[in-house]
């Protein structure tokens, strides 16, 4: 026992001695500036990473090249032109009788018609963009048209012409609130209303239901991404835009906003895990399969994904290589295939992703309807028109079966009918007969089917014959 105690005492003595000796060589955990030994390090504010100039130049080139794919007024459909406005905003130009005109000015002042039907209508609740009629003609979802116009940042008193007289954006906001139908997809309603309404706003619909921005957010949180339009990318875009607007107006991330933020961040992680080494994404989005074979397929899935990712990511995440790789993939494809036929949906969502990215990394503020530019943007000089080309497809065109009609409700008497009498329109030709003069090029971008399906071949359609278009 005595020997064991002596061994313990010896070991403790050695340990204390070693600790004392090592202490002489330990690096201090503070800088003793007061003793004049080491100068205290000064706190330096982190310098933000400068934008990747090489990438910005590539992005700008792709945006400029794609802006020369002009759509034709009175030939291309409202659905297509709205997508161009989403990408290029007030700078979007149309070919009108061989001359370039700002699309916003044209559709605001001329009361345009498509297949004998007006773009805008006056209703008992205010006004609206024309509702669904046929695939890719007007809007495919409630309030999709105005959602795609949000980035044009039109003020509430901006006026559109209708057969029954002028309506304002405020009129359209009022109608969207009153006509809200939870049986239909509400993604674009949130996308549109969050731009113009405060986060706390609550209203009563014509059906007697109480709705609010927060209730719309909750609805979109519950939406299953893999079963939503375009792989759920529009659902995530609308949530991200609503969250950003809420924070920008001084709101806090708690309650339903915390749930929205968590969903957005979960899918950011999922998106990163699904990205391929070349920067592209699967054609079946979050289902994780499907490899793009054509130009339109290449920019469709990656363009849609990067569009919402750029809106959802924080400023630090924008510097991540995977986001830069996705943006570079889109830009390089748009440059490489500048002479290829381009479908409006994939093309303009891809361009929108590039424009949003360039604005964010260069510090351009998100638009606010109550803050308008001091001077209108200068329209670019006219250049030789390069219409969107089309090629005849060897396969028969898709029919309206692939684009479900709006949900019909029982309370038809409550429907907000246009005040002005509607014009009688010819029955639209079958889509397979529209490939006439090669000036219209659209595709299968807005896939709203609820069940998984095989990747369909790209569909390219030409403009309707001139006899069915009101000039």
């Amino acid at each position: 026992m005595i020997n064991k105690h002596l061994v313990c005492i010896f070991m403790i003595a050695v340990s204390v001695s070693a600790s004392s000796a090592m202490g002489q060589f330990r690096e201090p955990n503070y800088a003793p500036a007061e003793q004049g030994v080491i100068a205290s390090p000064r706190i330096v504010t982190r310098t933000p990473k400068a934008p990747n100039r090489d990438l910005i130049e590539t992005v700008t080139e792709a945006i400029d090249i794609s802006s020369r794919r002009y759509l034709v007024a009175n030939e291309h459909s409202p659905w297509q032109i709205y997508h161009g406005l989403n990408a290029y905003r007030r700078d979007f130009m149309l070919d009108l009788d061989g001359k370039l005109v700002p699309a916003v000015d044209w559709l605001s002042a001329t009361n345009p018609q498509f297949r004998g039907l007006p773009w805008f209508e006056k209703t008992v609740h205010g006004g609206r963009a024309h509702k669904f009629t046929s695939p890719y003609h007007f809007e495919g979802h409630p309030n999709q048209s105005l959602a795609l116009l949000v980035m044009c940042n039109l003020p509430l008193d901006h006026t559109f012409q209708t057969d029954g007289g002028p309506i304002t954006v405020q009129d359209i906001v009022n109608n969207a609130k009153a006509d809200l139908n939870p049986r239909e997809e509400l993604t674009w309603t949130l996308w549109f209303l969050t731009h113009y309404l405060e986060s706390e706003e609550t209203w009563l619909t014509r059906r007697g239901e109480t709705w609010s921005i927060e209730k719309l957010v909750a609805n979109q949180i519950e939406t299953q991404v893999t079963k939503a339009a375009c792989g759920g990318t529009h659902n995530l875009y609308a949530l991200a835009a609503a969250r950003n607007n809420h924070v920008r107006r001084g709101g806090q991330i708690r309650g339903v906003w915390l749930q929205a933020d968590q969903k957005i961040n979960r899918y950011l992680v999922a998106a990163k895990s699904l990205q391929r080494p070349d920067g592209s994404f699967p054609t079946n989005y979050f289902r994780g399969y499907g490899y793009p074979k054509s130009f339109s397929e290449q920019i469709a899935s990656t363009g849609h994904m990067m569009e919402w990712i750029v809106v959802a990511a924080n400023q630090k995440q924008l510097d991540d290589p995977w986001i830069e790789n996705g943006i570079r993939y889109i830009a390089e494809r748009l440059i490489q295939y500048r002479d290829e036929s381009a479908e409006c949906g994939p093309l303009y969502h891809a361009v929108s992703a590039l424009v949003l990215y360039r604005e964010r990394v260069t510090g351009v503020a998100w638009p606010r309807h109550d803050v308008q530019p001091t001077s209108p943007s200068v329209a670019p000089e006219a250049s030789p028109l390069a219409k969107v080309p089309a090629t005849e497809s060897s396969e028969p065109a898709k029919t309206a079966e692939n684009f479900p009609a709006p949900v019909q409700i029982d309370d038809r008497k409550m429907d907000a009918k246009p005040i002005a009498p509607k014009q009688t329109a010819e029955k639209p030709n079958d889509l397979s007969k529209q490939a006439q003069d090669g000036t219209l090029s659209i595709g299968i971008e807005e896939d709203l089917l609820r069940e998984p399906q095989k990747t369909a071949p790209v569909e390219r359609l030409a403009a309707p014959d001139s006899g069915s278009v009101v000039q």
Side-chain angles (χ1 to χ4, degrees):
M1 290 294 293
I2 296 176
N3 289 337
K4 289 183 178 180
H5 285 299
L6 289 175
V7 171
C8 290
I9 293 171
F10 175 76
M11 293 299 294
I12 292 172
V14 171
S15 177
V16 171
S17 176
S19 298
S20 177
M22 289 295 293
Q24 299 176 12
F25 302 100
R26 283 179 179 171
E27 192 171 330
N29 58 7
Y30 65 94
E34 67 279 0
Q35 299 178 12
V37 178
I38 305 174
S40 293
R42 62 190 181 89
I43 298 176
V44 180
T45 304
R46 177 181 178 273
T47 303
K49 178 183 175 182
N52 185 333
R53 287 298 162 193
D54 171 63
L55 179 57
I56 292 298
E57 290 175 2
T58 304
V59 165
T60 298
E61 182 181 0
I63 293 171
D64 292 344
I65 285 174
S66 300
S67 71
R68 295 194 287 274
R69 293 177 179 266
Y70 298 112
L71 301 189
V72 183
N74 298 315
E75 291 188 24
H76 285 87
S77 71
W79 184 91
Q80 295 174 297
I81 293 173
Y82 283 132
H83 277 77
L85 286 162
N86 178 56
Y88 287 101
R89 294 82 178 273
R90 299 191 192 188
D91 293 330
F92 186 53
M93 309 294 284
L94 292 176
D95 167 15
L96 179 64
D97 300 326
K99 297 180 180 179
L100 294 182
V101 297
V104 167
D105 294 346
W106 173 77
L107 71 91
S108 300
T110 63
N111 185 22
Q113 312 276 313
F114 181 74
R115 289 190 175 276
L117 297 174
W119 281 49
F120 295 94
E121 299 173 316
K122 190 173 266 193
T123 71
V124 295
H125 303 297
R128 69 184 180 200
H130 201 287
K131 301 178 75 173
F132 177 91
T133 57
S134 298
Y136 314 111
H137 284 191
F138 292 95
E139 58 187 24
H141 316 265
N143 300 307
Q144 182 186 31
S145 303
L146 273 297
L148 293 172
L149 273 175
V150 157
M151 296 309 293
C152 291
N153 199 32
L154 302 177
L156 287 168
D157 59 358
H158 183 87
T159 302
F160 297 104
Q161 304 302 317
T162 76
D163 294 340
I167 61 173
T168 64
V169 172
Q170 181 67 68
D171 292 328
I172 301 174
V173 170
N174 295 341
N175 187 83
K177 291 162 64 178
D179 203 36
L180 188 149
N181 180 7
R183 301 183 189 180
E184 301 196 56
E185 192 165 7
L186 301 180
T187 295
W188 286 263
T189 299
L190 173 62
W191 184 335
F192 167 50
L193 290 182
T194 185
H195 183 70
Y196 291 102
L197 303 182
E198 297 295 327
S199 303
E200 301 80 14
E201 183 147 353
T202 303
W203 64 90
L204 198 66
T205 72
R206 64 185 176 86
R207 296 174 174 82
E209 300 171 345
T210 301
W211 277 83
S212 65
I213 290 294
E214 289 195 354
K215 190 173 179 179
L216 282 171
V217 170
N219 172 277
Q220 290 303 293
I221 292 171
E222 295 174 0
T223 296
Q224 189 172 344
V225 167
T226 55
K227 292 186 177 181
C230 297
T233 55
H234 297 320
N235 164 258
L236 294 168
Y237 181 102
L239 278 178
R243 179 202 62 182
N244 294 353
N245 286 329
H246 174 68
V247 173
R248 196 173 292 112
R249 293 166 179 150
Q252 298 182 358
I253 298 297
R254 61 186 181 189
V256 70
W257 299 104
L258 177 60
Q259 296 174 41
D261 185 65
Q262 290 172 337
K263 179 176 181 178
I264 292 165
N265 288 321
R266 285 199 308 272
Y267 279 94
L268 280 173
V269 173
K272 182 178 179 180
S273 70
L274 291 170
Q275 189 183 40
R276 295 193 170 97
D278 64 356
S280 67
F281 289 90
T283 55
N284 284 282
Y285 302 92
F286 289 102
R287 295 186 186 276
Y289 58 88
Y291 194 83
K293 299 178 180 61
S294 66
F295 166 53
S296 287
E297 287 182 348
Q298 288 178 348
I299 59 174
S301 56
T302 305
H304 276 80
M305 289 289 283
M306 293 309 304
E307 185 180 32
W308 83 265
I309 287 170
V310 170
V311 173
N314 61 40
Q315 205 65 33
K316 184 178 180 181
Q317 289 172 323
L318 287 178
D319 297 337
D320 289 351
W322 75 278
I323 291 182
E324 292 187 347
N325 289 343
I327 292 296
R328 187 180 297 278
Y329 178 89
I330 297 171
E332 290 179 347
R333 294 307 178 280
L334 291 176
I335 295 171
Q336 178 182 356
Y337 296 103
R338 68 180 73 191
D339 297 323
E340 293 288 328
S341 175
E343 300 177 13
C344 292
L347 171 68
Y348 290 125
H349 281 298
V351 172
S352 174
L354 300 186
V355 173
L356 288 165
Y357 174 80
R358 184 175 64 176
E359 289 180 342
R360 287 207 58 187
V361 298
T362 55
V364 176
W366 186 266
R368 290 175 47 189
H369 72 274
D370 55 338
V371 178
Q372 294 297 309
T374 55
S375 58
S377 57
V378 179
E381 293 183 4
S383 59
L385 297 180
K387 298 180 181 179
V388 178
T391 58
E392 293 187 3
S393 174
S394 59
E395 297 198 19
K398 303 298 177 183
T399 64
E401 295 176 359
N402 293 317
F403 200 109
V407 177
Q408 297 296 323
I409 59 176
D410 296 330
D411 51 351
R412 294 181 180 179
K413 295 181 180 180
M414 300 178 66
D415 191 21
K417 302 295 183 183
I419 289 179
K422 295 178 64 175
Q423 296 186 20
T424 302
E426 295 181 13
K427 183 178 179 180
N429 294 332
D430 184 77
L431 296 182
S432 62
K433 298 179 182 178
Q434 292 184 22
Q436 300 294 328
D437 58 4
T439 59
L440 189 65
S441 176
I442 67 177
I444 54 173
E445 181 264 349
E446 294 291 345
D447 177 15
L448 307 185
L449 296 180
R450 293 301 186 183
E451 297 299 328
Q453 61 175 1
K454 296 181 180 179
T455 302
V458 174
E459 174 190 3
R460 294 183 176 87
L461 307 178
D465 57 278
S466 59
S468 63
V469 178
V470 178
Q471 300 295 333

